[in-house]
Amino acid sequence: NAGVTQTPKFQVLKTGQSMTLQCAQDMNHEYMSWYRQDPGMGLRLIHYSVGAGITDQGEVPNGYNVSRSTTEDFPLRLLSAAPSQTSVYFCASSYGLGKNQPQHFGDGTRLSIL
Amino acid sequence: LAKTTQPISMDSYEGQEVNITCSHNNIATNDYITWYQQFPSQGPRFIIQGYKTKVTNEVASLFIPADRKSSTLSLPRVSLSDTAVYYCLVGDGGGADGLTFGKGTHLIIQP
């Protein structure tokens, strides 16, 4: 089983560029989410989705956009990259609504904004 | 938000039992307590989850007292490969359906 797959693994952008981080899961999970992790910090929730066509904001949504057209995919878009968005981004999925369900994480996308 | 407090770091030696305690004074009635493990350059990995009393699986045990205001993750006979960051999480009592990750406990196992 592939589980949660994130692409790319590494990316370097210039300030102002846009890009999409891809996330796909093959476990038929309804709940998916995006987190960012900064050095020495825990994970902070950016956006989440409880099913296809439904998304909502997490703790740090500014500068990011998401959509959920299928159950399997949950891309994260950076609209205009800023150095403050340099981070490691993790996508996660779970069977249920997330709070009390074990989350399955991808291995992350390491993003540097110059 | 239900916040958690854990030690920033802990040291131990191979073969020892390690206990990491987490405080969560504002845990909601319906919330479970979940622990994750994270190695460098990897995403967090689910270890164990419980609601009350004791839960045990092939990796760890989780002890939760009756008042549920704290919990203890117990790792039996640790090895060098158990060096990682361990996160204690409780469900959010309302609002966004996400997990609140703190800074975790950096566990370092020495030979």
Side-chain angles (χ1 to χ4, degrees):
Chain A
N1 288 335
V4 178
T5 302
Q6 293 185 236
T7 56
K9 294 188 184 302
F10 303 93
Q11 184 69 49
V12 178
L13 294 177
K14 295 181 179 179
T15 297
Q17 286 185 314
S18 63
M19 81 159 292
T20 298
L21 308 185
Q22 301 292 342
C23 175
Q25 53 91 10
D26 61 359
M27 297 171 282
N28 201 32
H29 285 167
E30 289 295 319
Y31 182 87
M32 297 186 73
S33 55
W34 277 101
Y35 292 85
R36 61 176 288 173
Q37 185 173 36
D38 300 305
M41 302 287 289
L43 283 76
R44 292 184 291 170
L45 181 66
I46 304 172
H47 284 285
Y48 67 97
S49 168
V50 298
I54 306 170
T55 64
D56 208 341
Q57 297 181 349
E59 179 186 356
V60 289
N62 292 339
Y64 307 95
N65 200 2
V66 292
S67 60
R68 184 93 180 272
S69 57
T70 67
T71 299
E72 294 77 20
D73 300 298
F74 191 43
L76 178 72
R77 297 183 185 84
L78 278 70
L79 308 174
S80 178
S84 61
Q85 293 178 304
T86 293
S87 189
V88 181
Y89 291 85
F90 290 101
C91 177
S93 74
S94 68
Y95 178 75
L97 285 179
K99 284 192 295 184
N100 295 329
Q101 295 288 332
Q103 299 274 310
H104 299 260
F105 284 84
D107 282 335
T109 294
R110 284 145 188 82
L111 183 62
S112 294
I113 314 297
L114 304 178
Chain B
L1 289 178
K3 296 183 66 174
T4 60
T5 303
Q6 347 172 192
I8 295 296
S9 65
M10 294 181 66
D11 293 328
S12 189
Y13 294 90
E14 283 192 294
Q16 298 296 306
E17 178 185 77
V18 172
N19 296 311
I20 306 174
T21 297
C22 177
S23 298
H24 28 79
N25 290 322
N26 297 324
I27 187 169
T29 301
N30 295 329
D31 286 339
Y32 281 67
I33 299 155
T34 311
W35 286 79
Y36 288 83
Q37 175 192 56
Q38 186 178 26
F39 298 113
S41 302
Q42 294 185 24
R45 183 174 71 100
F46 170 83
I47 301 177
I48 196 167
Q49 184 180 72
Y51 184 81
K52 61 181 179 180
T53 64
K54 177 184 175 182
V55 179
T56 298
N57 62 22
E58 64 277 8
V59 177
S61 294
L62 179 59
F63 299 93
I64 305 169
D67 66 5
R68 301 195 338 118
K69 293 184 182 299
S70 67
S71 58
T72 299
L73 174 72
S74 181
L75 304 173
R77 301 181 61 81
V78 294
S79 64
L80 296 177
S81 63
D82 291 315
T83 293
V85 179
Y86 292 82
Y87 295 97
C88 164
L89 282 78
V90 298
D92 190 336
D97 280 320
L99 299 175
T100 302
F101 279 80
K103 296 184 180 181
T105 297
H106 190 192
L107 175 64
I108 299 172
I109 306 302
Q110 303 182 39

